[in-house]
Amino acid sequence: MKWIWQTITSLKLTVTCLSFSMLIVFVGTLAQVDQGLYLVQDRYFKSLFVFWGPEGSSWQIPVMPGGYLVGILLMVNLIAAFMAKFKWTRKKIGICISHLGLILLLLGQLATDLLSRESAMEIKEGGTRSFSSDFRLNELVLIDETSPTKDTVYAVSESLLQSKEGAIIDSGKLPFTLKVESFWPNVALTGSLEDGQGQLKEDHADYQKVDAKTGFSNVYLKPMPPATSMDARDTRAAVIEVMDGNTSIGKWFVATVLDPQSWTHNGSTYSIGMRAKRYYENFSLTLLKATHENYTGTNEPRNFASRVQLRNASTKENRELLIYMNHPLRYQGLTFYQYQMTAGEMVKRQGLEPSSTFQVVKNPTWVTPYLACIMVGAGLTIQFLIHLVGFVRRRSQMKPSL
């Protein structure tokens, strides 16, 4: 136990963690060129270990620690060293405050990774939305459309679909049992082998024909590598068998680029599909006006602005707001940034419908980096002043009396 305590409080562990941190940043930055930002974040920074395996093989081995492991070790090292080596004395209060600030910074970053989320809310002019859609995560939805006044939506996380083919999803809340026949993380779809464009034509051997009870008997798909561009999304696809007990109702092909497909069973109407994961709120936004202004005589954007009406029945709020560049809306722990816009003269000439897209950010620990930096700065300042006052006092005592 003494050796373990000496190890986790040692300066060598601190230097080792910092060295691995720089290595992870360096390797992750190089890998971002081929793998994209989001995949690199998951593989290098939001993991305990970085794994490697031969291409086309299912087995992988850990080759270096991931960001989470290095961060946890560094945080444990800081806390242990703080407890073992620093005392709450007046002369060291600045050092103690600085270390507490560093610990808060690490804890805040971990909490941000675990609790924060980013999504998008797209609203057409005159339309109303009370939910936002995740940028990366998707969900399988089974919708009971029997009622003429409301739909009952059952959502299944995509992590359950990609766990393994042949997986059975059976929950007491679901009206049916779902069996995952096939799942593709990213595909390209085409009507036939001859209709493919670009790389869809290059290798017919990689195509698979979709044969499900959906009318998509002529759809061909080609497995694709993960999208690396920040503005691109993977096209998830799956073949789902819907079962009522041990009786198969049918197999449906679902994809994030296709609309849900309906069927009738025992007098009730259902539909199944795949879409971006949704986050519902207890308030709604109505887009009253989308404004896209350019500098005179140029195509350079000067201003994106969205006039919205916020309604919240629980608080009886009903007010108009303006969201524009660098002036977001902050409400109930959410921040709405002006993200994209389809408006202006070009949209009118093309006969399109004006719309606005907001980036919705939820980060309950947003204040921790500011507090941590203030604590570190204040601690260093206090420690400097303590040494400065002591130095001045010693110099004054050393002066000879006249």
Side-chain angles (χ1 to χ4, degrees):
M1 292 297 295
K2 183 178 179 181
W3 177 83
I4 295 176
W5 182 250
Q6 290 176 346
T7 301
I8 63 176
T9 59
S10 67
L11 183 61
K12 292 181 180 180
L13 181 59
T14 307
V15 175
T16 302
C17 290
L18 293 176
S19 300
F20 272 114
S21 298
M22 292 187 289
L23 178 63
I24 293 172
V25 171
F26 177 75
V27 176
T29 303
L30 294 180
Q32 184 178 331
V33 177
D34 298 322
Q35 301 179 26
L37 175 63
Y38 297 122
L39 187 60
V40 166
Q41 283 182 340
D42 292 336
R43 183 181 179 187
Y44 290 88
F45 301 105
K46 297 182 179 181
S47 62
L48 294 177
F49 293 96
V50 178
F51 291 88
W52 173 89
E55 187 174 355
S57 175
S58 59
W59 64 270
Q60 293 182 327
I61 58 174
V63 293
M64 59 184 295
Y68 277 173
L69 180 59
V70 172
I72 291 173
L73 288 176
L74 185 58
M75 182 174 62
V76 171
N77 175 249
L78 279 173
I79 295 174
F82 180 78
M83 294 172 58
K85 299 181 181 180
F86 295 104
K87 307 299 181 183
W88 281 99
T89 62
R90 188 167 54 185
K91 291 185 178 181
K92 294 184 178 181
I93 187 173
I95 296 178
C96 294
I97 293 175
S98 297
H99 277 73
L100 287 175
L102 290 174
I103 295 171
L104 179 62
L105 186 63
L106 291 173
L107 288 173
Q109 182 58 50
L110 178 61
T112 298
D113 287 341
L114 297 177
L115 302 177
S116 65
R117 72 169 190 242
E118 294 185 4
S119 55
M121 178 183 287
E122 182 181 3
I123 314 176
K124 293 183 179 181
E125 198 169 83
T128 302
R129 281 286 172 89
S130 60
F131 65 87
S132 60
S133 302
D134 198 280
F135 280 112
R136 300 176 58 203
L137 302 179
N138 301 283
E139 61 187 9
L140 176 73
V141 289
L142 180 63
I143 307 174
D144 186 347
E145 302 174 341
T146 306
S147 174
T149 58
K150 66 176 182 179
D151 293 337
T152 303
V153 180
Y154 306 90
V156 178
S157 173
E158 67 176 346
S159 61
L160 298 178
L161 305 181
Q162 57 190 352
S163 58
K164 63 178 180 178
E165 292 186 357
I168 302 295
I169 303 173
D170 187 8
S171 171
K173 296 181 179 180
L174 290 173
F176 302 104
T177 299
L178 306 179
K179 181 180 180 181
V180 183
E181 288 287 325
S182 302
F183 177 81
W184 298 272
N186 191 24
V187 299
L189 302 180
T190 179
S192 68
L193 295 181
E194 290 75 20
D195 292 339
Q197 297 179 0
Q199 52 186 320
L200 292 179
K201 278 188 174 182
E202 292 178 2
D203 188 1
H204 292 177
D206 288 342
Y207 282 88
Q208 299 185 45
K209 185 175 181 179
V210 175
D211 187 13
K213 183 190 172 183
T214 58
F216 289 105
S217 57
N218 293 324
V219 173
Y220 290 83
L221 60 84
K222 179 180 180 179
M224 303 291 290
T228 57
S229 173
M230 291 188 63
D231 295 329
R233 287 183 64 111
D234 291 334
T235 300
R236 299 281 201 263
V239 174
I240 305 296
E241 183 178 9
V242 180
M243 304 176 65
D244 186 1
N246 295 325
T247 303
S248 176
I249 299 176
K251 298 179 182 180
W252 276 265
F253 174 66
V254 295
T256 52
V257 294
L258 299 177
D259 294 330
Q261 303 160 64
S262 301
W263 76 91
T264 301
H265 180 70
N266 291 338
S268 299
T269 302
Y270 301 91
S271 65
I272 190 170
M274 190 176 292
R275 67 188 185 190
K277 184 176 181 179
R278 292 183 178 181
Y279 304 103
Y280 289 89
E281 310 299 339
N282 64 346
F283 61 91
S284 65
L285 292 179
T286 300
L287 180 62
L288 303 177
K289 179 65 177 178
T291 303
H292 178 194
E293 298 176 341
N294 293 332
Y295 288 102
T296 304
T298 69
N299 292 324
E300 293 294 326
R302 185 177 70 88
N303 181 40
F304 295 138
S306 301
R307 180 163 292 279
V308 299
Q309 187 167 17
L310 186 150
R311 295 186 180 92
N312 190 334
S314 61
T315 59
K316 298 182 180 180
E317 290 180 83
N318 189 352
R319 53 193 174 99
E320 290 188 13
L321 302 162
L322 186 65
I323 304 174
Y324 56 102
M325 298 169 62
N326 300 322
H327 287 77
L329 164 66
R330 291 181 171 87
Y331 186 73
Q332 289 192 357
L334 302 175
T335 305
F336 294 79
Y337 296 94
Q338 184 63 62
Y339 179 57
Q340 292 176 339
M341 180 168 287
T342 304
E345 292 297 327
M346 184 179 297
V347 173
K348 294 180 180 179
R349 289 196 299 266
Q350 295 177 355
L352 300 177
E353 192 172 358
S355 66
S356 183
T357 302
F358 305 111
Q359 182 180 11
V360 186
V361 178
K362 180 180 181 181
N363 184 12
T365 59
W366 65 272
V367 73
T368 54
Y370 299 100
L371 292 178
C373 291
I374 292 174
M375 290 177 64
V376 172
L380 294 176
T381 302
I382 292 172
Q383 196 65 31
F384 172 76
L385 292 176
I386 290 175
H387 285 281
L388 179 62
V389 171
F391 176 76
V392 172
R393 286 178 177 176
R394 288 194 297 270
R395 287 294 300 268
S396 61
Q397 292 174 358
M398 292 174 58
K399 290 183 179 181
S401 57
L402 298 177

